[in-house]
Amino acid sequence: MRVVFMGTPDFSVPVLDALVEAGHEIAAVYCQPPRPAGRGKKDRPTPVHARAQALGLDVRHPTSLKPAEEQDSFAALNADVAVVVAYGLILPQPILDAPTHGCLNIHASLLPRWRGAAPIHRAIMAGDAQTGICIMQMEAGLDTGPVLLRQATDIGPEETTADLHDRLSEMGAALIVEALAKLPGLTPEPQPEDGVTYAAKIDKSEARVDWSRPAVEVDRQIRGLSPFPGAWTEIDGNRIKLLASRLAEGQGAPGEVLNDDLYVACGQGAIELLRLQRAGKGAQDRETFLRGWPIPVGTRMSSE
């Protein structure tokens, strides 16, 4: 098929690779424009931009798809289908209508649960047992289109957003290749009206750990916000990011370090911290972290 690919971050790169490996003709790649990054604040191409250039593909990065000239340029590609995954721009109706088979979105949830910007984070933070990938026929609404294919996967008890992100990216790559192989024979299934939830964009204000909450909620917060923005607490005025954890046995005052293995008491139960990061330092596993900065039993981690 002649495909327009539309994606921007790391999550989208395996999908582009899979489409190329499956033999599809990539008419053009659309992504977000390069933006200042790093110490020098020089413009840096997005992950998809860099990968598309390495593959020798035509890369386009308009700031908007609303201008008529952008829509005409898109339509002139004469695509059979557009594949959209974490692109970052709203697609106007003329864009949605231009390819023969429309625009297919790879969404990282089991729609209609977790429509919106942060489905992977929200699924872990909510304690969902499962999530998955949906291949959705795009329409004007926010993730409201009918679903062509879906695949579920269990969420592991210690899985972080980073872990699940990588697994779902690979799942999405395989599932879109399957979907394109079966077009136009797939039957779109409208999403049910029951069970709709919205995955709001993660706000940094959600990242501070409140140790008075039950351990199960604190554990989900830590895993769901890892690696970005990273749940955090303070010890003696020093901010510490908490990047991996699991539920543990123990009880004490909320935020109290219970033993040398960094079991920390919560409002109910306790968690075991597995990976941490001090300000200005790299992320470290617990053992390495404690060698550089011991935390005595009885230390209180701040929730204020």
Side-chain angles (χ1 to χ4, degrees), residues 106-167:
I106 303 171
H107 188 75
S109 81
L110 297 176
L111 293 167
R113 187 155 177 80
W114 301 129
R115 294 174 179 171
I120 302 176
H121 302 76
R122 297 298 178 189
I124 292 178
M125 293 172 74
D128 291 4
Q130 281 193 326
T131 186
I133 290 290
C134 283
I135 307 299
M136 179 190 69
Q137 187 81 53
M138 295 181 72
E139 56 183 33
L142 177 64
D143 299 331
T144 57
V147 175
L148 298 175
L149 283 178
R150 67 175 63 224
Q151 182 178 351
T153 185
D154 292 341
I155 299 176
E158 297 179 22
E159 203 158 24
T160 66
T161 285
D163 300 328
L164 190 54
H165 167 285
D166 292 349
R167 286 209 298 119

Side-chain angles (χ1 to χ4, degrees), residues 235-236 238 240 278 288-295:
I235 302 175
D236 297 330
N238 296 285
I240 308 295
R278 292 173 64 186
T288 303
F289 183 91
L290 290 175
R291 282 198 297 270
W293 200 51
I295 301 177

